[in-house]
């Protein structure tokens, strides 16, 4: 299968380029920092006794979400900066000429590379996320409520972003495509936080900012679904009010709906299809 | 099917600049065709349209019996691009393995290695391409073009980065392809190379075909240049009997004669008392002819 050939080739590229090393270093630094932070949380800062177990779980939930956000940011940066060069970079350098003169379709190449990148991003999220859970468990005794769903949604978020990166890389230069994709990722996240504040304050038009941006680029919606799966629902119930109603950037007030998940899948297919269409029409 | 590639009315504009303007020609199976022309004539663009890498604005391409829009048309094509670059994180051997797989060809390991040997990279098979010099990358590109047992090989300036030894290697490779009946499209500025290996030549200028034909058609017959002294009218008559004669001082040029009549001609001239300083058989070089054609176009 030619698609799998390209998926394997993309994984090999990721493994042999410096991206992987940079990613590994960043991840280890983040994990080490979080281990230190969680350790401090339970031993020194609050002296254990001053904190009820409910409070500890709420804080652990929030901190875990914060660190997972860091991880997802690393995954997003890594894959977005891999996705650009692997398509647009090969076209600019001329490496695509020899490949596309073979009896294969351009869409096959794109699908294969997409698959390889998704496997790479997903593998990274699963490994680093699991390591993070173990760290949190060892230091605070907290284990996320639904780790598998959370990690799957986080991997999906990475897939969404790299799909967007692939689309941009058929239009603009490889580096620019990575920068724009990561920039949009950050912008939707901020819009999501703004929307959450709006919901907390009961202001519908501000809340709509988050909703609209989550539909346009589903990374933030998936991220909020993932957070919901990581945090402790029982601990959240004890703390009502605007803070939990979306006002907090690292707490989520609702699980992902099936409708939103379906839209995200459709969005990904659409964007990938559009990238394939643009790629097919492009002169080399 | 008798054609390796057939193109008709190819046209391509890049914004306001017309790169290719109604180019039609064909390369027969087993034929070696030279594509010549000045920089910017549209040679690379024609080649890319021929392989489905650039979409023509108008025109048609049949590649190895299939329309070029069908990817399967490229199954038996080997291509060395003008801008050659291969995945720097792969080794030379891995690049060939990849291309063999993409071509869907069952080429055994030994044959792949022999192809690397053919381009002089046998001892660098396990090295990453990223560390290769420009010339080594072009050699690798040649191996990529040749490895999947192609029936049609397209080489866009295959010697642009090569040393003199490499150029000689390319000439040998071209001659062996010709011997095996593999069709070749060769775009090269080394006109001597083209003259030596090509059966036919197409000359492009400003996006159009300025001239085309076999070398004999383009260059005319052979000629011989003689530097002579004491030429009597009788001797001049003898020269004229061999072919159309032109004279520039003591340099006489007899055109359109066969090489094997030269010894008799010289013997007769000596007999007639002419002093023969030099005899240079030859013909109009392709280079002169090319400059001539391109000059008259302007
Ligand atoms: N991708 C491109 N974008 C804009 N112009 C191009 C592009 N490719 C080729 N051209 C133009 O088309 C003309 C023919 O180019 P090319 O086919 O590369 O010529 P050659 O190979 O004969 O030197 C040139 O004028 C060149 O500037
Ligand atoms: Mg060229």
């Amino acid at each position: 299968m030619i698609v799998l050939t390209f998926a394997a080739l993309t994984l090999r590229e990721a493994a042999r380029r410096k991206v992987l090393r940079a990613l590994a270093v960043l991840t280890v630094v983040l994990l080490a920092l979080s281990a230190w932070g969680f350790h401090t949380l339970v031993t020194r800062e609050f002296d254990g006794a001053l904190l009820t177990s409910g409070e500890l779980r709420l804080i652990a939930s929030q901190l875990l979400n914060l660190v997972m956000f860091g991880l997802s940011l690393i995954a997003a940066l890594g894959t977005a900066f891999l996705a650009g060069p692997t398509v647009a970079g090969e076209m600019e350098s001329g490496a695509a000429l020899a490949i596309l003169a073979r009896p294969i379709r351009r869409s096959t190449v794109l699908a294969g590379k997409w698959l390889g990148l998704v496997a790479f991003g997903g593998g990274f999220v699963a490994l680093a996320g699991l390591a993070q859970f173990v760290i949190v468990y060892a230091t605070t005794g907290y284990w996320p409520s639904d780790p598998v769903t959370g990690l799957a949604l986080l991997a999906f978020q990475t897939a969404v972003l790299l799909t967007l990166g692939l689309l941009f890389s058929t239009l603009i230069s490889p580096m620019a495509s990575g920068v724009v994709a990561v920039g949009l990722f950050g912008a939707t996240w901020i819009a999501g936080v703004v929307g959450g504040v709006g919901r907390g304050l009961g202001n519908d038009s501000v809340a709509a900012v988050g909703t609209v941006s989550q539909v346009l680029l589903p990374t933030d919606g998936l991220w909020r679904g993932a957070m919901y799966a990581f945090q402790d629902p029982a601990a959240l119930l004890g703390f009502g009010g605007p803070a939990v109603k979306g006002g907090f950037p690292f707490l989520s007030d609702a699980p992902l709906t099936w409708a939103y998940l379906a839209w995200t899948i459709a969005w990904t297919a659409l964007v990938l299809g559009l990238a394939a269409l643009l790629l097919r029409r492009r002169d080399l | 099917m008798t054609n390796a590639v057939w193109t008709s009315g190819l046209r391509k504009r890049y914004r306001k600049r017309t790169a290719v303007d109604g180019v039609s020609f064909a390369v027969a199976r087993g034929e070696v065709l030279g594509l010549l022309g000045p920089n910017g004539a549209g040679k690379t663009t024609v080649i890319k349209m021929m392989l489905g890498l650039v979409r023509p604005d108008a025109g048609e391409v049949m590649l190895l019996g299939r329309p070029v829009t069908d990817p399967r048309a490229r199954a038996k094509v080997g291509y060395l691009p003008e801008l050659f670059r291969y995945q720097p994180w792969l080794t030379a051997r891995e690049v060939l393995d990849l291309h063999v797989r993409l071509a869907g060809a069952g080429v055994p390991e030994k044959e792949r290695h022999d192809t690397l040997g053919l381009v002089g990279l046998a001892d660098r098979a396990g090295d990453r391409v990223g560390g290769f010099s420009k010339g080594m990358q072009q050699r690798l590109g040649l191996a990529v073009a040749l490895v999947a047992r192609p029936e049609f090989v397209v080489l866009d300036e295959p010697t642009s980065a090569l040393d003199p030894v490499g150029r000689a290697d390319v000439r040998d490779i071209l001659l062996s392809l010709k011997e095996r009946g593999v069709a070749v499209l060769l775009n090269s500025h080394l006109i001597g190379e083209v003259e030596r290996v090509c059966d036919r030549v197409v000359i492009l200028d400003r996006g159009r075909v300025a001239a085309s034909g076999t070398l004999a058609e383009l260059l005319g017959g052979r000629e011989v240049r003689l530097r002579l002294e004491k030429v009597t009218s009788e001797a001049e008559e003898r020269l004229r009997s061999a072919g159309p004669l032109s004279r520039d001082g003591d340099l006489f040029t007899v055109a359109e004669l066969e090489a094997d009549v030269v010894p008799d001609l010289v013997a007769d001239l000596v007999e007639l008392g002419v002093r023969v300083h030099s005899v240079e058989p030859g013909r109009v070089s392709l280079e002169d002819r090319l400059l001539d054609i391109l000059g008259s176009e302007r």
Side-chain angles (χ1 to χ4, degrees), chain B residues 214-231:
Chain B
T214 62
L215 282 177
E217 281 165 1
L218 280 177
L219 302 178
R222 303 192 149 265
E223 60 178 26
V224 64
R225 286 186 290 274
L226 307 106
R227 203 166 286 280
L228 307 171
E229 219 183 336
K230 295 190 179 158
V231 181

Side-chain angles (χ1 to χ4, degrees), chain A residues 13-119:
Chain A
E13 175 179 4
R16 289 190 185 175
R17 274 184 183 267
K18 293 195 182 75
V19 173
L20 191 70
R21 242 167 298 158
L23 217 58
V25 170
L26 275 174
T27 309
V28 168
V29 168
L30 184 71
L31 289 179
L33 276 176
S34 82
W36 182 52
F38 277 106
H39 184 70
T40 314
L41 174 72
V42 281
T43 55
R44 255 193 302 159
E45 206 75 11
F46 302 101
D47 205 22
L50 293 175
L51 217 59
T52 67
S53 77
E55 282 168 339
L56 181 65
R57 292 173 80 78
L58 185 64
I59 293 172
S61 290
Q62 209 170 338
L63 274 183
L64 174 64
N65 282 344
L66 175 67
V67 179
M68 291 308 282
F69 181 73
L71 281 180
S72 78
L73 197 64
I74 294 176
L77 280 168
T79 46
F81 280 97
L82 260 176
T86 196
V87 176
E90 288 202 346
M91 290 198 164
E92 276 184 10
S93 73
L97 284 173
I99 296 283
L100 294 179
R102 292 298 173 191
I104 50 175
R105 288 179 194 283
R106 294 183 186 186
S107 51
T108 309
V109 180
L110 187 73
K113 295 203 160 190
W114 183 82
L115 211 59
L117 288 167
V118 168

Side-chain angles (χ1 to χ4, degrees), chain B residues 265-280:
Chain B
L265 177 63
V266 173
D268 289 350
L269 290 174
V270 171
E271 195 127 303
L272 290 166
V274 177
R275 292 178 60 78
V276 180
H277 289 270
S278 71
V279 181
E280 283 176 53

Side-chain angles (χ1 to χ4, degrees), chain A residues 283-284, chain B residues 14-15 17-20 37-46 48 82 156-157 187 189 204:
Chain A
D283 289 336
L284 293 181
Chain B
Y14 287 111
R15 292 197 191 85
R17 168 162 278 110
T18 302
V20 175
N39 297 126
K43 306 179 293 294
T44 298
T45 308
V46 165
K48 284 180 177 175
E82 179 180 30
D156 198 347
E157 302 196 24
N187 167 20
H189 290 296
L204 285 189

